[in-house]
């Protein structure tokens, strides 16, 4: 009997998953545990393993299509086996009807069009369209059966500032010029589209300002070397400079709660806890896993969480719940030799700290010139929430913690 390949639920907040690429085609042999398809949800990309040995009999959901968790996306069975999809189809239809009934109680926006047809769309897509003032009837859905997905609405939001004729002409020009110049034209991946939409929205919907400062981390480097032998022996790991920076940020946020805030619906929301976002660069894009309740963690515990989340991000094992709810973000480009840069806010947060590469510099100290390790810090903040002086005080507090590193261990 054929085995179903099902769209998994990657966290409680997941509404839909998108098929990125099928690694196998219909008729191919597959082995249990073999990665046969890649999927995306929000900013997570992960691979689904074959649940059984056999042949990929049928691909139900094609690449770039989005479906809810629990949807059958393919079947594995014996070669030439006849599929009985009636039960699965009935179950999915029942789930769909139940979902629509529930959605109707919350979002009264899926109504018959003037032509008598019903606009089929996901809950997230309808909510986004309602907020953006976009008529769903004007969107062409790319989901199964023409269902409008979140990505469709995000695309419509991005294009609503451009006249349709201009957008069409622009796309045509890009393709034509690319063909003439021999350039490679590749459609943006689902993850890239999400990043593009959010980053553009961040700049358009907030008043961002960046200020720079340098912290003397010579003593911090020395302390790290001193304690890492003990940390390695006791915990089987080593502390990084990023771990100490994260700890300094958490302590500074507790002293400057205005930076641990968000601007939501013309209200300033100030959090009593610190959910720290730590940006991780992947080959397919950038993700920001979140350390929950970082204020309750020691520097060693914080380091463990950061390392665990980073590893899960790189191996595609993060769940969507681990990518939401951050109250402040840290992004480090020092490993690439970058000095100062301008990080973009992770909305609706009030601030994000960019960290550059520490470099040796001559500093006049104690009546003499000394070589000290100077760490560039770049703080981007939302001026709607925080003014320049309070933001500078927050950055100064981070600097003080980094220059008196023993306080980070307490």
């Amino acid at each position: 009997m054929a085995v179903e390949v099902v769209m998994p639920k990657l966290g409680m907040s997941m509404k839909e998953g998108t098929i990125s690429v099928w690694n196998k085609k219909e008729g191919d042999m597959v082995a249990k545990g073999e990665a046969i398809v890649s999927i995306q949800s929000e900013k997570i990309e992960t691979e689904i393993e074959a649940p059984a040995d056999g042949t990929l009999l049928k691909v139900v959901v094609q690449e770039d299509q989005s479906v809810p968790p629990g949807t059958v996306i393919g079947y594995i069975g014996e070669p030439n086996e006849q599929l009985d999809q009636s039960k699965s189809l009935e179950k999915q239809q029942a789930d769909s009807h139940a979902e629509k009934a529930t959605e109707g109680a919350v979002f009264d926006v899926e109504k018959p069009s003037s032509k008598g047809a019903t606009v089929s769309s996901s809950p997230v897509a309808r909510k986004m369209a309602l907020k953006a003032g976009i008529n769903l009837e004007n969107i062409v859905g790319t989901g199964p059966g023409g269902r409008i997905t979140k990505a469709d609405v995000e695309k419509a939001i991005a294009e609503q500032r451009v006249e349709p004729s201009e957008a069409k002409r622009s796309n045509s020009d890009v393709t034509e010029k690319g063909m003439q110049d021999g350039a490679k034209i590749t459609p943006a991946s689902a993850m890239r589209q999400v990043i593009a939409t959010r980053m553009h929205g961040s700049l358009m919907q907030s008043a961002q300002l960046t200020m720079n400062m340098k912290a003397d981390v010579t003593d911090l480097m020395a302390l790290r070397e001193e304690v890492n032998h003990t940390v390695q022996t006791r915990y089987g790991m080593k502390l990084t400079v990023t771990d100490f920076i994260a700890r300094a940020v958490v302590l500074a946020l507790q002293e400057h709660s205005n930076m641990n805030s968000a601007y939501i619906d013309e209200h300033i929301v100030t959090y009593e806890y610190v959910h720290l976002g730590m940006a991780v660069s992947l080959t397919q894009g950038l993700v920001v896993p979140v350390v929950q309740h970082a204020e309750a963690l020691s520097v060693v515990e914080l380091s463990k969480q950061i390392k665990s989340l980073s590893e899960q991000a790189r191996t595609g094992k993060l769940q969507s719940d681990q990518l939401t709810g951050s109250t402040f973000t840290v992004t480090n480009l020092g490993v690439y030799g970058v000095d100062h840069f301008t990080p973009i806010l992770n909305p609706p947060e009030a601030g994000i700290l960019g960290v550059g590469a520490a470099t040796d510099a001559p500093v006049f100290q104690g009546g003499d010139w000394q070589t000290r390790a100077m760490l560039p810090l770049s703080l981007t903040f939302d001026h709607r929430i925080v003014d320049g002086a309070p933001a500078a005080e927050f950055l100064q507090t981070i600097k003080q913690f980094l220059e008196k590193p023993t306080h980070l261990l307490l």
Side-chain angles (χ1 to χ4, degrees), residues 332-341 355-359 376:
N332 191 341
L333 293 181
V335 67
Y336 301 102
V338 173
D339 293 327
H340 293 290
F341 62 101
V355 182
T359 56

Side-chain angles (χ1 to χ4, degrees), residues 181-223:
D181 296 346
K184 180 181 179 181
I185 300 175
T186 306
S189 66
M191 178 181 283
R192 193 75 257 162
Q193 291 180 37
V194 171
I195 293 173
T197 299
R198 289 184 175 177
M199 292 299 95
H200 183 261
S202 174
L203 291 172
M204 294 295 292
Q205 298 167 16
S206 61
Q208 301 192 25
L209 179 66
T210 302
M211 57 177 59
N212 302 309
M213 190 177 290
K214 287 187 176 182
D216 185 341
V217 293
T218 308
D219 295 341
L220 172 61
M221 300 289 198
L223 176 65

Side-chain angles (χ1 to χ4, degrees), residues 349-380:
E349 298 168 16
I352 179 172
L353 181 71
V355 182
T359 56
D360 290 338
V363 177
F364 193 75
Q365 184 171 310
D368 195 9
W369 286 98
Q370 299 181 20
T371 300
R372 309 289 292 182
M374 306 302 294
L375 181 73
L377 303 173
S378 302
L379 174 68
T380 296

